[in-house]
C-alpha cells in the first residue's frame, strides 16, 4: 500500500511540474503523413502529437502528448545490424545490446528489454505477452511489457516490430500504468496501422 501511495504522490508531483515550452517540440499534426526516425518509415497521426527535440538514436525519434514521462511513443526506423536501438552513452562502460543479422523476431522483446535495462538503468522489466502480427506488410511481432523506472512509477508498454530488408523497424509506446497508458493506447494503435515504408 505504501508503494502505491508513493507512486501516486510521485505522479502528482510530476504533473505539478511546468510543461516544457512547446518551442522545444515540433508539432506532428493530425492527418498529415510524416516520415520518422530519418528513415523511409511514414505514419499519419490521427491526432496532434509533439515530436520531442533531441533524438535518442541515429534512427530513432520520440513523440509525446503530455511529456516524455507521461507518454513516450518512439519510432525505430531501419536499425542496421550491429547497431543499438539508441545511442550508447559510453561504448565500453555501458554497452547496449545490438540488433544483429541473426536476430529473430521472437528475440526483439529481449532486445528492447536489454536496451531499457542498460539505458534507463531499470531493474524491474517484465514482458507480459508476445504474439505474431503483420507490420509494414511483413511478418512481425507485437508484445506488451511493464517496468518500473527510477521514479518508482510502473509503466506499461506495447510495441510492434518487423525486420524488412535486414533492418529493424519498431514502434514502442510507454506510459504510466495509471491512467495515461489506457488513455492513449487506442490512438497509438490507430497510428501504427498507418505505418508504411
Amino acid at each position: 500500500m505504501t508503494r502505491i501511495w508513493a507512486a501516486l504522490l510521485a505522479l502528482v508531483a510530476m504533473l505539478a511540474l511546468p510543461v516544457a515550452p512547446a518551442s522545444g517540440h515540433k508539432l506532428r499534426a493530425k492527418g498529415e503523413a510524416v516520415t520518422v526516425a530519418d528513415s523511409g518509415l511514414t505514419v499519419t497521426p490521427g491526432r496532434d502529437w509533439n515530436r520531442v527535440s533531441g533524438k535518442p538514436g541515429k534512427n530513432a525519434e520520440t513523440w509525446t502528448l503530455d511529456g516524455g514521462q507521461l507518454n513516450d511513443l518512439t519510432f525505430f526506423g531501419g536499425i542496421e545490424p550491429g547497431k543499438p536501438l539508441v545511442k550508447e552513452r559510453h561504448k565500453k562502460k555501458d554497452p547496449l545490446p545490438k540488433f544483429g543479422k541473426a536476430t529473430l523476431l521472437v528475440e526483439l522483446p529481449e532486445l528492447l528489454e536489454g536496451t531499457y535495462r542498460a539505458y534507463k538503468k531499470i531493474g524491474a522489466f517484465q514482458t507480459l505477452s508476445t504474439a505474431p502480427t503483420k507490420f509494414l506488410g511483413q511478418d512481425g511481432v507485437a508484445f506488451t511489457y511493464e517496468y518500473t523506472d527510477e521514479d518508482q512509477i510502473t509503466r506499461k508498454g506495447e510495441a510492434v516490430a518487423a525486420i524488412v530488408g535486414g533492418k529493424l523497424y519498431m514502434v514502442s509506446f510507454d506510459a504510466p500504468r495509471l491512467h495515461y497508458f489506457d488513455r492513449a493506447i487506442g490512438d497509438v494503435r490507430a497510428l501504427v496501422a498507418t505505418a508504411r515504408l
Side-chain angles (χ1 to χ4, degrees):
M1 194 66 172
T2 302
R3 190 173 168 202
I4 293 172
W5 277 111
L8 284 173
L9 289 174
L11 182 60
V12 169
M14 190 168 46
L15 293 175
L17 293 174
V19 176
S23 60
H25 302 315
K26 185 168 184 177
L27 177 67
R28 294 304 187 200
K30 173 183 177 181
E32 294 182 10
V34 60
T35 57
V36 293
D38 288 336
S39 69
L41 181 61
T42 301
V43 295
T44 306
R47 65 179 296 178
D48 291 347
W49 287 80
N50 290 302
R51 187 190 73 188
V52 176
S53 59
K55 296 169 43 176
K58 180 182 176 186
N59 292 106
E61 174 177 324
T62 300
W63 293 8
T64 188
L65 294 170
D66 307 296
Q69 291 295 314
L70 298 179
N71 27 57
D72 178 330
L73 175 66
T74 300
F75 302 92
F76 302 95
I79 304 294
E80 297 179 347
K83 301 291 183 183
L85 296 178
V86 295
K87 185 177 180 182
E88 289 177 303
R89 293 188 181 108
H90 196 288
K91 292 182 180 181
K92 290 185 178 178
K93 289 183 180 176
D94 293 315
L96 296 175
K98 313 287 191 301
F99 170 67
K101 286 182 181 177
T103 301
L104 303 174
L105 288 175
V106 296
E107 296 172 319
L108 296 179
E110 186 179 330
L111 176 64
L112 186 67
E113 176 183 347
T115 300
Y116 274 31
R117 285 186 185 276
Y119 191 77
K120 295 177 180 271
K121 306 290 184 194
I122 59 173
F125 186 106
Q126 182 180 12
T127 300
L128 302 175
S129 67
T130 304
T133 191
K134 288 287 185 184
F135 180 53
L136 301 173
Q138 306 289 320
D139 289 336
V141 61
F143 54 101
T144 60
Y145 50 90
E146 198 169 88
Y147 66 93
T148 303
D149 217 335
E150 289 180 339
D151 55 16
Q152 297 303 306
I153 295 174
T154 300
R155 288 177 168 76
K156 287 177 68 176
E158 184 170 307
V160 60
I163 298 169
V164 184
K167 297 180 180 179
L168 171 62
Y169 293 84
M170 180 162 59
V171 181
S172 66
F173 176 69
D174 305 342
R177 183 174 56 185
L178 294 177
H179 180 67
Y180 287 93
F181 183 85
D182 291 338
R183 191 183 73 158
I185 191 60
D187 293 322
V188 171
R189 290 172 182 158
L191 183 145
V192 167
T194 71
R196 301 286 184 272
L197 273 180

